[in-house]
Structures are given as C-alpha cells and as structure tokens.
Amino acid sequence: MKHRTPEPYLWLLFSGGGVVAALTLPVLVLLFGVLMPLGVIDWPAAEHLRALVDNVLVRLALLAVVVLCLFHAAHRIRFTSEELLGIARFDLIIAVICYGGAVAGGVVAALLMF
C-alpha cells in the first residue's frame, strides 16, 4: 500500500486562505484603515458590533477567515524560508512549526470567539 501524504490538504488550506485573504482583507483595510479614520464613513456603534458578533454564524465566519489566513501564511512562510534560506533539509521541523503555529492560532481564535 502506498503511503499518502497530507500535502494536498495543506495546499487546499493554502489556496482557500489565499482566496479568503484576497477577498476580505483589502475590504477590511479600506474600511477600518482608510475610510473610517478619514471620516468618509462613520464608525459603527459598539452596540451594533456587539449585536453582530453575538450571532454564532458571524463568529464561525470570522473564525474561518482567521484560520484560513493563518494556514495560508504558514504555507507561505514554510516554502519561502526553505527556498530563500536553503534549509529544505529541515522540512519536517519547519512544517511542524509553521502548521503547528497555525493550529495554535486557530485554537486561540476559537477560544477568543467563544
């Protein structure tokens, strides 16, 4: 029996994280980093944000965005560090550190959300 690697699933998380990051992060930066500080759009009231985040589906969506972005970053850091620094011989250690950090970040995000 041939040994299967988890590599396709990691690439799936990488690509999903890239799509989520490309679609959500620019909008959030534009809103909270440019338009609201310049006064083009009013800041949302704390009560409105609290009511929005009280919904479980919103929390799950935010958690999905955070986790996918973390796995996207972990994958990029893993392969970029291996290529640029020439440390591909430590692939297993780097993979455990990168993806372990993404899992730990996802757990922390889940604890903070719920």
Side-chain angles (χ1 to χ4, degrees), residues 55-105:
N55 188 346
V56 174
L57 292 177
V58 172
R59 289 184 188 190
L60 288 174
L62 287 173
L63 182 63
V65 168
V66 168
V67 168
L68 286 174
C69 287
L70 285 172
F71 271 98
H72 181 77
H75 205 73
R76 280 194 179 271
I77 291 169
R78 174 187 175 193
F79 286 103
T80 302
S81 64
E82 288 177 2
E83 285 291 320
L84 291 180
L85 301 176
I87 53 175
R89 62 183 175 273
F90 302 115
D91 179 56
L92 182 62
I93 296 169
I94 294 170
V96 167
I97 291 170
C98 289
Y99 298 124
V103 168

Side-chain angles (χ1 to χ4, degrees), residues 33-64:
V34 178
L35 296 178
M36 288 179 192
L38 290 176
V40 177
I41 297 175
D42 292 333
W43 288 91
E47 298 83 25
H48 178 70
L49 288 177
R50 192 172 303 115
L52 183 66
V53 176
D54 280 344
N55 188 346
V56 174
L57 292 177
V58 172
R59 289 184 188 190
L60 288 174
L62 287 173
L63 182 63

Side-chain angles (χ1 to χ4, degrees), residues 1-19:
M1 177 173 265
K2 187 176 177 182
H3 177 68
R4 294 186 181 189
T5 67
E7 197 71 25
Y9 302 108
L10 298 175
W11 278 101
L12 179 68
L13 289 171
F14 168 74
S15 63
V19 169

